[in-house]
Amino acid sequence: MSTMAFEAALDDAQLRPVGVIRSLLKERSEAPRQGSEGAPDAWLEVYPWAAEALHGLAVGDEIIVITWFHQARRDVLRVHPRSDARNPLTGVFATRSPDRPNPLGLHPAFVRAIDGDRLRIGPIEAIDGTPVVDIKPVLT
């Protein structure tokens, strides 16, 4: 790839939220580390411009919700896994830490209900107000 093509690709590397999480979890400290560790269901409100992209999703589908951890620190490169100081410092690329250079979250969840441009999904550990950047089906 030429330098110009690479720079053009970087210029195009932008995310646009497609929706937002509406959850009972209001603070990072309230959220379990993973959805499977007791996270509640939540509403995923899809913005009107992206609502047509929901076509084909059905109640019971397993999806991956990709979020932008808007409260994450982007300057963190090493952490104690699971915030446990007994664990050795580890590079964030080898952990599931929300603090990372590009704080994208991956959340496996099930579609529990569909109400227009809103999906009831769960379990999901994302806090209220978390931007959603994409939704993908789990293919089996």
Side-chain angles (χ1 to χ4, degrees):
M1 177 181 286
S2 73
T3 302
M4 288 180 62
F6 180 74
E7 288 174 0
L10 284 180
D11 287 343
D12 194 39
Q14 297 177 21
L15 295 175
R16 177 169 65 155
V18 299
V20 65
I21 297 294
R22 296 295 176 210
S23 175
L24 296 174
L25 299 171
K26 303 298 182 193
E27 303 292 331
R28 248 180 99 166
S29 61
E30 299 173 350
R33 302 262 182 233
Q34 300 295 321
S36 62
E37 297 177 353
D41 289 353
W43 284 101
L44 190 169
E45 295 179 354
V46 175
Y47 295 139
W49 69 265
E52 191 173 327
L54 293 171
H55 181 76
L57 283 180
V59 171
D61 284 353
E62 187 174 5
I63 58 176
I64 301 290
V65 179
I66 303 169
T67 61
W68 183 263
F69 289 139
H70 61 296
Q71 293 184 2
R73 289 185 47 199
R74 297 184 72 179
D75 61 339
V76 173
L77 298 179
R78 295 198 312 163
V79 296
H80 294 282
R82 300 190 69 79
S83 299
D84 185 340
R86 295 174 295 183
N87 292 325
L89 277 173
T90 304
V92 294
F93 295 157
T95 76
R96 296 294 304 264
S97 172
D99 297 317
R100 52 197 323 110
N102 289 303
L104 294 171
L106 301 176
H107 312 271
F110 289 92
V111 177
R112 310 275 196 212
I114 300 173
D115 179 19
D117 58 359
R118 299 181 337 140
L119 301 176
R120 185 73 176 168
I121 60 170
I124 187 164
E125 72 281 13
I127 64 173
D128 190 62
T130 299
V132 174
V133 296
D134 209 345
I135 303 165
K136 294 183 179 263
V138 171
L139 302 177
T140 56

